[in-house]
Amino acid sequence: MNRRELIQRVLLGGAVLVMVPSVLESCTKIPNGNAGSNSGTPAGGTTITSNKIDLDITLADNTALNSAGGSRFVESIIVINTGGGKFSALSNICTHAGCTVYYNSGSGKIECPCHGSVFTTSGSVIQGPATSPLRSYPTTLIGNILTITL
Ligand code: FES
């Protein structure tokens, strides 16, 4: 290695050291449909902390949750009003191979586009190939605040 190659390697190494922290920081932020933060009070009546999500169901982004069959997607969780004042909060990660599932309000079921697994709104498997239920999170409604415990 000559002097020129040594200087180039030192400069390249320094550039990598400067870039790595900013890349890692961007990877730790939880995707959010409302705001680019994983804590605090994003717009739309949603408060997200490390152990819970509070949704004010009277505010604009959450009003779908006021009706049976209505749903909302927040922080990789599908929140569904299952009727009778009850809610379901489920991971949107399919237990078969990790694809993103979605709530089909027409059928009232959660479906995986990858290999056809179908789940109930409580997360149970209706149709495979998935064999395990979707991860479920406890929900409580106090006043207008629906809390999802993570
Ligand atoms: S990843 Fe969902 S059915 Fe295969």
Side-chain angles (χ1 to χ4, degrees):
M1 176 183 324
N2 64 30
R3 184 176 174 183
R4 183 180 184 149
E5 289 172 336
L6 177 64
I7 291 171
Q8 285 176 335
R9 287 186 182 197
V10 168
L11 290 176
L12 180 62
V16 168
L17 286 175
V18 169
M19 292 174 54
V20 166
S22 62
V23 170
L24 291 176
E25 181 185 356
S26 68
C27 292
T28 60
K29 290 183 179 172
I30 299 170
N32 182 345
N34 283 339
S37 168
N38 62 358
S39 63
T41 307
T46 303
T47 302
I48 301 166
T49 63
S50 60
N51 60 356
K52 69 175 186 164
I53 299 171
D54 287 335
L55 301 172
D56 184 336
I57 62 172
T58 65
L59 297 182
D61 283 355
N62 303 322
T63 53
L65 294 172
N66 286 309
S67 308
S71 67
R72 165 101 161 75
F73 176 76
V74 59
E75 299 291 329
S76 302
I77 295 173
I78 303 169
V79 186
I80 305 166
N81 180 331
T82 56
K86 297 188 186 233
F87 295 86
S88 179
L90 303 167
S91 166
N92 73 338
I93 306 299
C94 183
T95 56
H96 174 237
C99 286
T100 301
V101 298
Y102 65 94
Y103 175 57
N104 181 336
S105 60
S107 68
K109 297 179 175 76
I110 296 166
E111 301 173 1
C112 181
C114 290
H115 310 108
S117 288
V118 180
F119 303 87
T120 66
T121 55
S122 63
S124 300
V125 177
I126 297 172
Q127 173 183 306
T131 57
S132 299
L134 297 172
R135 181 175 179 185
S136 178
Y137 300 91
T139 62
T140 53
L141 180 64
I142 299 174
N144 295 328
I145 305 298
L146 176 64
T147 298
I148 302 159
T149 304
L150 304 176

